[in-house]
Amino acid sequence: MRICTIGAGYVGLVTAACFAELGHYVISVDNDEKKIKMLKKLRMPIYEPGLEELVVRNVKNGRLKFTTDIGEGVRNSDIIFIAVGTPPKEDGSADLSSVEAVARAIAENMDSYKVIVEKSTVPVETGEWVKRTLQLYRKKDVSFDIVSNPEFLREGSAVEDFLHPSRIVIGVESKRAEKIMREVYAKIKAPILVTDIKSAELIKHASNSFLATKISYINAIANICELVGADVVKVAEGMGLDKRIGREFLDAGCGFGGFCLPKDLASFKWICNKLGYNFKLLEVVEEINEGQKRKVVEKIEKLLWNISGKVIGVLGLSFKPNTDDIRFSVAIDIIRLLLEKGAIVKVYDPRAMEKSKAVLGKKVKYCKDPYSVSKGSDALVILTGWEEFKNLDYKRIKKLLRVPVVIDGRNLLDKEEMKKLGFMYEGIGR
Ligand code: UGA
């Protein structure tokens, strides 16, 4: 099939590469000339495991092309996926101006029947606006169908999630569009749920907000564990064995971040308010999450008294492991809190050093590995759950630290082992 994806960010680029891998002909459009130039030279603008290999293979076999010309993409395809950014505005609502601009550009370039698919995360009723925009701005009287097909990719495993999804949700208004969408995904083995457009849009916001709620719930339980001396890891294990609850997303820690959960939570809350429903639960979910960030700082204060002038070594900058993405990263927020309190901060991350330099500038000291972070620090703080932090030589780290304090914001390490090694160890909720 002939597919156009508009927006070559995390979602758009992964979608384009994976559709090409499935045998479709894909044109990936982005208005960022630098990004398209890079991609044409087979250089990746983001780090995502497995992505480069797919892009290289499919560009070489002629199934994947890149362009900045939206008209070229629209005219040469039958299905158009809108995968542009919907960043948060000050008030928490999603900025849909890029979606509108793309809808207008599609309208102006449509020359035959097209299926136009919302892939970006958008608030409920956006489909109606896209439809209206297409009707208002189309030049010829060509017919089209709108589809909502939310993505459920996780950064760090986006390619795997695309090719082996838990479900494919297709929100449609016509049998014709449903048939085409089923064909697009024919090679993927996963349950397909067909709904109306609004329900599909809601599935996305409801899912991400539920995941955020699950994390804040276990973080609240972690706080209770700390009050009574219980272990949240064990509590999560016990809860998770109930199939109705499930163990996933019950890892307590210093909070959730990234460009999806916090933004979708805020946007969902906003649209609910606009519709006349005050979704208070989501407010508390956010509040608990903010509290977890402060918790890390409080733990350092508990062990070291004043933070001002202390050297704090930080391991982890990305919002989660296996990505270089630092957008809404809890680690960056906590570093800012530490800097506000006058700490001298040293940092290391396996992938996110470059991107962090752009936001933290010269305010922190960038180190080449975890050992140089530890050298002369008053405390070592783990803020991202990179696997490699589990297997460090902690005996060596103990010698390098000025004081053997480890604050484990992701409950990555074995508490008993750390104590045996002579550390003052603090996890979250244990
Ligand atoms: C999230 C959803 O998991 C995907 O299903 C969704 O498609 C995606 O958003 C999106 O809307 O595009 P992602 O933002 O990549 O995916 O990251 P997650 O794996 O959900 O992690 C988000 C944050 O929650 C991270 O900061 C992580 O450290 C934290 N987290 C996750 C916890 O603190 N505890 C957990 O148990 C799980």
Side-chain angles (χ1 to χ4, degrees):
M1 303 184 90
R2 300 188 313 159
I3 292 175
C4 169
T5 55
I6 303 175
Y10 279 95
V11 175
L13 188 55
V14 170
T15 303
C18 289
F19 276 145
E21 182 71 10
L22 293 176
H24 301 304
Y25 288 89
V26 184
I27 305 179
S28 163
V29 181
D30 200 292
N31 60 6
D32 182 341
E33 286 186 14
K34 227 171 99 191
K35 194 185 270 181
I36 293 296
K37 248 189 202 160
M38 265 180 96
L39 285 163
K40 282 185 172 169
K41 287 185 193 154
L42 301 176
R43 293 212 327 265
M44 297 304 108
I46 50 164
Y47 168 72
E48 188 60 41
L51 180 65
E52 185 169 359
E53 199 189 314
L54 289 197
V55 170
V56 171
R57 182 160 59 237
N58 287 287
V59 167
K60 287 193 174 153
N61 66 24
R63 284 206 298 264
L64 179 59
K65 270 191 189 165
F66 296 101
T67 180
T68 51
D69 183 353
I70 201 164
E72 181 193 339
V74 171
R75 285 188 299 275
N76 292 299
S77 47
D78 308 306
I79 309 140
I80 300 153
F81 284 82
I82 304 178
V84 292
T86 53
K89 292 201 263 191
E90 281 277 305
D91 61 1
S93 64
D95 182 348
L96 299 171
S97 51
S98 299
V99 175
E100 184 187 354
V102 165
R104 279 183 67 162
I106 296 172
E108 283 158 9
N109 286 286
M110 275 194 317
D111 51 359
S112 60
Y113 170 79
K114 308 277 176 197
V115 173
I116 293 130
V117 189
E118 291 175 338
K119 196 72 176 156
S120 310
T121 301
V122 289
V124 62
E125 293 183 334
T126 301
E128 296 206 340
W129 280 107
V130 172
K131 186 171 164 187
R132 196 168 151 70
T133 305
L134 285 156
Q135 279 162 347
L136 288 174
Y137 292 94
R138 69 185 150 170
K139 284 204 176 132
K140 299 175 192 159
D141 196 21
V142 282
S143 61
F144 64 89
D145 270 309
I146 301 289
V147 174
S148 165
N149 171 221
E151 56 81 19
F152 302 106
L153 314 174
R154 287 162 304 172
E155 282 182 28
S157 57
V159 170
E160 179 64 21
D161 288 348
F162 189 98
L163 297 170
H164 307 280
S166 55
R167 77 287 209 196
I168 295 165
V169 173
I170 298 175
V172 280
E173 278 179 337
S174 83
K175 281 278 163 209
R176 185 177 182 186
E178 180 187 336
K179 189 168 169 269
I180 292 173
M181 290 304 289
R182 282 186 183 275
E183 263 175 71
V184 168
Y185 284 106
K187 283 199 184 156
I188 292 185
K189 278 198 196 104
I192 293 186
L193 179 71
V194 178
T195 69
D196 59 281
I197 294 177
K198 287 181 198 166
S199 299
E201 289 170 335
L202 272 175
I203 287 171
K204 174 66 193 205
H205 263 168
S207 299
N208 271 6
S209 299
F210 188 79
L211 290 173
T213 304
K214 218 175 161 187
I215 300 170
S216 277
Y217 187 87
I218 199 67
N219 281 335
I221 299 293
N223 292 334
I224 298 165
C225 286
E226 288 189 5
L227 294 174
V228 297
D231 184 347
V232 74
V233 177
K234 291 285 170 214
V235 177
E237 199 182 324
M239 287 168 65
L241 285 169
D242 184 332
K243 277 192 193 136
R244 294 169 303 174
I245 299 174
R247 175 63 184 81
E248 277 182 73
F249 273 69
L250 284 183
D251 289 323
C254 51
F256 59 81
F259 204 59
C260 302
L261 299 194
K263 144 178 115 66
D264 291 357
L265 198 63
S267 162
F268 195 29
K269 221 177 65 185
W270 188 90
I271 190 75
C272 290
N273 258 324
K274 189 167 172 259
L275 292 167
Y277 181 72
N278 180 6
F279 206 154
K280 273 195 192 150
L281 174 66
L282 301 186
E283 257 164 49
V284 181
V285 169
E286 277 177 342
E287 252 171 59
I288 294 173
N289 202 45
E290 288 310 305
Q292 290 310 104
K293 299 176 195 172
R294 289 193 301 272
K295 189 122 220 148
V296 172
V297 179
E298 285 161 16
K299 280 178 185 286
I300 303 173
E301 284 172 333
K302 190 176 110 187
L303 292 169
L304 293 175
W305 196 8
N306 292 304
I307 284 188
S308 180
K310 299 268 162 51
V311 184
I312 310 294
V314 169
L315 295 184
L317 296 164
S318 58
F319 86 91
K320 67 173 191 182
N322 300 324
T323 177
D324 63 348
D325 196 349
I326 54 157
R327 292 175 298 172
F328 294 92
S329 168
V330 167
I332 304 286
D333 286 350
I334 294 174
I335 289 170
R336 288 203 173 112
L337 290 176
L338 292 170
L339 291 170
E340 266 168 33
K341 291 203 171 244
I344 299 153
V345 179
K346 296 165 79 178
V347 301
Y348 169 77
D349 186 282
R351 292 270 175 190
M353 298 289 264
E354 281 314 308
K355 288 196 172 158
S356 300
K357 280 179 191 163
V359 300
L360 293 171
K362 291 189 174 137
K363 291 187 194 133
V364 302
K365 189 174 183 300
Y366 302 91
C367 299
K368 65 175 191 326
D369 60 32
Y371 304 103
S372 29
V373 165
S374 308
K375 197 169 175 206
S377 288
D378 295 287
L380 186 66
V381 184
I382 302 176
L383 298 179
T384 314
W386 285 95
E387 193 64 25
E388 68 171 70
F389 298 156
K390 263 189 196 168
N391 309 314
L392 300 173
D393 180 351
Y394 280 97
K395 265 191 194 153
R396 184 173 161 206
I397 286 183
K398 182 159 175 278
K399 282 188 199 136
L400 291 168
L401 284 170
R402 200 181 284 162
V403 192
V405 166
V406 170
I407 311 288
D408 183 357
R410 295 291 171 192
N411 287 344
L412 211 59
L413 307 173
D414 186 321
K415 180 179 148 190
E416 294 312 321
E417 275 298 307
M418 292 302 281
K419 288 197 170 156
K420 248 191 245 158
L421 286 174
F423 282 100
M424 283 178 257
Y425 171 89
E426 283 270 340
I428 304 285
R430 53 207 298 234

